[in-house]
Every structure is written in C-alpha cells, then in structure tokens.
Amino acid sequence: MVINKQSGLPRRSSAEVGQASRLLLVLAVVILVAVVITFLIVKMAEKPPKPVTPPTTTVVEPVYEQTLGNIRFVFESAIDRGTVLKASEIVSNQYSTQKNLTVSNTGAKFIQVTVGAQNQGTKNTEPNSWTIENIVDSKGRNFVPVEGYTISPWLPNPDMCGTLLKPAFDPTPCVKIYEVSKESTGLKIKVETGKDNTGNNLSSGKIDSFLIDLIVK
C-alpha cells in the first residue's frame, strides 16, 4: 500500500484500481448473462402462437340430376337459340306458314331446355305428376317458360312434359323454351313433382322441387 505524503492517507496503487475495474467488468458480464438466461427461460415457457390458418373457400359442385320420390330428373341440354327462332327451324310441318319469332326485348335471348324424367319405382307414375318450371339465375331472378300457340312450332309434338312414366324406361324428355336476360349467369332449372309423385298434389301446390344446374351451349 502506498501512503500519500500530503494527506498521510493510504493511496491505492494502479494495480488495485485495475483489479477493481476488472471485478466490475466481470460483475456486469455476469449480470448481463443472467438477464439473457432469464429472458430465454421466460420465452421458452411461453406457449407458441397458433399458426394462422388461411381461410378456406368452399366450392359448390354443380348438380345435374336429382331424384324426387321415385322420379329421377336429369339435365340433358340447354341451347342458346339467340334472339330469333327461325321459321326454317320449326319442328312440325303443321306450322309451315309460321314466320320467325323474335324475343320481346332486345336484352333477352331464347334458351331451349331439355330435362329427362325417369321412373325409378315399381309402378307407373300418374300422368301430370311432374314437370319443369322456371329458369332461375344467380341473382334469384325467375324466367317463366314461353307458352301458347306462338312457341308451339319450335316444341316437340306431342308434348312429353308430365306424361306417364313406366318403371326403368329411359328418361322421357321435357322440352321448354324461355326468354332469359342476356346478363343472367349461373342458370338453374326448377324441376317439380307432386308429393308422393301424384298429379293431384302437383296441381294443388303440394310439391317437391329442386334446382338443377344448366350448361348453356
């Protein structure tokens, strides 16, 4: 130890000062290491965050057939006939003098739909116990079939819609023509049968129905 001549008090040597500095440095390092270890322990004890699951998009598959009671309805075709039904395309000779038929509005087009109906039961169905109804688009807009004398030349004769169905025969085609908006997409056709496949129930509004998807070509 060195004595300070002026004050008479002991004076620390440079070696002692250096040793004290090293002790402080070591202490700081120990504290830092302890803090890091504590932080790591706390982090390891925490539950890992749940992985973010990307939202799933449900794809609705189209349906082209449906069985209601004993009657199986199956989509057969949907044809875009444009804005004019031509006299040259009339299917019955009895209308040989019929002229072209044009849509009632320039924003519409004719679509001809054919749906088959098949009896999957063991007995004949009743006549007029089934039919096809409106076309419905993706926005819920309904388009009724064109009916009456003006459309008859372009429809099969006889009309097979609603006829008696014998068990296990090939599907009987029902053909109807509709005026549909050119803007409409996602078209479906409504098929109907009376409860228990009876004609009385169909005529009285007691029905089973379904919307079958259309592929318009």
Side-chain angles (χ1 to χ4, degrees), residues 7-56:
S7 61
L9 298 175
R11 187 180 63 185
R12 294 182 178 180
S13 64
S14 58
E16 290 176 326
V17 173
Q19 185 177 5
S21 298
R22 284 194 294 275
L23 288 173
L24 290 174
L25 181 60
V26 170
L27 181 60
V29 171
V30 170
I31 294 173
L32 179 61
V33 171
V35 170
V36 171
I37 292 174
T38 302
F39 176 79
L40 293 176
I41 292 174
V42 171
K43 280 295 182 183
M44 291 174 64
E46 293 179 354
K47 292 182 179 180
K50 293 182 179 180
V52 178
T53 304
T56 56

Side-chain angles (χ1 to χ4, degrees), residues 1 7 57 59 69 139 159 162 213:
M1 180 181 294
S7 61
T57 302
V59 178
K139 294 187 177 181
D159 179 7
D213 290 278

Side-chain angles (χ1 to χ4, degrees), residues 81-87 89 100-103 109-110 154:
R81 301 285 303 263
T83 59
V84 178
L85 296 178
K86 299 178 181 179
E89 296 171 343
N100 292 349
L101 180 64
T102 304
V103 290
K109 60 184 177 181
F110 289 114
W154 290 272

